[in-house]
């Protein structure tokens, strides 16, 4: 009979669940822009706020993404705002990502 020494038993690793797969980002330009006067909103996005809301309502169901266990989706109003900001400025994906609290690859996927 072989004797088992408890100190020699290697415990099996316990899988860790990651709480976030994405970096936490700071604020979103859209949250601030919705509080701005109409003229300032139009200057930044080249569209009036009412027209922006109508556009979002038209495309909402087509661009809505489901939430997964890995991360929350980018909501349709933010997706539209990212596209409009890109069309208005032609800025880099990284620059627009910084304005909206998104990564450059996420901005690329939205556009």
């Amino acid at each position: 009979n072989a004797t088992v020494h408890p100190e020699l038993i290697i415990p099996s690793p316990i899988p860790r669940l990651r709480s976030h797969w994405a970096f936490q980002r700071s604020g979103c330009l859209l949250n601030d822009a919705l509080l701005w006067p109409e003229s300032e909103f139009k200057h930044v996005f080249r569209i009036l706020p009412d027209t922006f809301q109508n556009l979002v309502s038209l495309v909402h169901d087509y661009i809505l993404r489901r939430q997964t266990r890995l991360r929350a989706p980018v909501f349709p109003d933010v997706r539209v705002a990212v596209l409009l900001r890109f069309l208005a400025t032609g800025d880099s994906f990284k620059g627009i990502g910084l304005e909206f609290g998104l990564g450059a690859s996420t901005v690329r996927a939205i556009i």
Side-chain angles (χ1 to χ4, degrees):
N1 288 339
T3 305
V4 176
H5 297 281
E7 64 275 3
L8 298 178
I9 297 175
I10 300 172
S12 62
I14 299 172
R16 293 185 197 177
L17 297 177
R18 294 186 181 188
S19 60
H20 286 85
W21 285 81
F23 291 108
Q24 291 295 325
R25 303 284 182 162
S26 61
C28 176
L29 176 67
L30 183 61
N31 294 338
D32 297 333
L34 291 173
L35 303 174
W36 294 343
E38 190 174 274
S39 60
E40 186 66 22
F41 188 94
K42 185 176 181 183
H43 178 72
V44 171
F45 293 104
R46 308 292 197 265
I47 192 172
L48 292 172
D50 292 338
T51 308
F52 173 80
Q53 293 299 338
N54 288 338
L55 181 60
V56 170
S57 67
L58 286 173
V59 299
H60 181 275
D61 294 338
Y62 298 103
I63 62 175
L64 181 66
R65 300 291 187 254
R66 293 182 310 171
Q67 182 162 347
T68 66
R69 292 183 347 171
L70 299 179
R71 65 181 61 92
V74 178
F75 294 108
D77 56 343
V78 176
R79 298 173 76 86
V80 170
V82 166
L83 176 62
L84 290 174
R85 185 70 177 151
F86 175 75
L87 294 173
T89 64
D91 199 4
S92 68
F93 295 153
K94 184 175 182 178
I96 292 175
L98 290 173
E99 292 177 336
F100 287 91
L102 301 171
S105 61
T106 303
V107 172
R108 184 179 303 110
I110 289 171
I111 294 173

